[in-house]
Amino acid sequence: MSTKNLYSTEAKEKIKQLAEAIDYAMLATNLKAQPFHTVPMSTKEVDEDGNIWFLSNKTSTHNANIEREKRAHLIYSDKGNYEFLSVYGRATIGSDRNKIKELYGSGDDAWFEGVDDPNITTIKVEPDDAHYWDTKNGKVISLLKMAGGAITGNEPDLGVQGNLEI
């Protein structure tokens, strides 16, 4: 696997591409504790600055953790395509009704009593450190390349990984 670090605009685009395509991330909060708290979250948006947005209940454990300590870690994993993203950053909770309406979708009705539910908040994660692993051809081709490499003894080109510097 080759290394390609991405910077600024390219890094933001890669975060957007992977986070929105994979959708679900494990959000880790209360990072100073062992074990830290994790919960699956659906990505609602990655904005032009590379910030990742979610909707959350204001009474949730992860919201309480973010109120105490702003650090959060997101882990995205698409094992079907061998695409992975790790984002560490600063999380903030918001209550802007316009932003909530912008992010809200019909699938959110499973968690909230409609877009006007007073318990809905946003969580914005501003990346400080990010790393990605991205195969060029998906899982099947990568497995074939690994098998070929095992037979020939040559290291297969399985894709690219690197740091994302915003």
Side-chain angles (χ1 to χ4, degrees), residues 3 12 38 52 70 74 78 80 109 133 149 161:
T3 299
K12 293 173 192 175
T38 58
I52 304 168
K70 303 294 184 208
L74 300 169
D78 180 355
D109 290 342
W133 298 261
Q161 59 89 28

Side-chain angles (χ1 to χ4, degrees), residues 12-25 41-46 50-54 74 76 83-85 87:
K12 293 173 192 175
E13 288 171 4
K14 180 56 86 173
I15 289 173
K16 182 175 182 66
Q17 174 208 339
L18 290 173
E20 290 182 351
I22 297 170
D23 185 12
Y24 281 92
M41 300 288 286
S42 176
T43 302
K44 295 300 176 181
E45 175 187 52
V46 179
N51 300 315
I52 304 168
W53 292 82
F54 304 92
L74 300 169
Y76 288 88
E83 295 177 329
F84 307 93
L85 176 65
V87 178

Side-chain angles (χ1 to χ4, degrees), residues 3-15 48-51 85-88 126-132 161-166:
T3 299
K4 182 178 181 185
N5 296 326
L6 301 176
Y7 302 92
S8 192
T9 302
E10 281 186 306
K12 293 173 192 175
E13 288 171 4
K14 180 56 86 173
I15 289 173
E48 61 193 29
D49 294 322
N51 300 315
L85 176 65
S86 172
V87 178
Y88 175 80
E126 299 174 61
D128 288 333
D129 184 71
H131 196 87
Y132 75 102
Q161 59 89 28
N163 293 322
L164 299 168
E165 306 286 335
I166 293 180

Side-chain angles (χ1 to χ4, degrees), residues 1 81-83 133-139 142 158-160:
M1 185 163 272
N81 289 314
Y82 278 19
E83 295 177 329
W133 298 261
D134 189 3
T135 60
K136 296 176 183 175
N137 304 304
K139 182 178 183 177
S142 294
L158 297 177
V160 64

Side-chain angles (χ1 to χ4, degrees), residues 11 21 49 75 79 86 89 100 119 132 142 147 155:
D49 294 322
I75 305 291
K79 68 179 187 164
S86 172
I100 290 168
N119 289 316
Y132 75 102
S142 294
E155 186 176 328

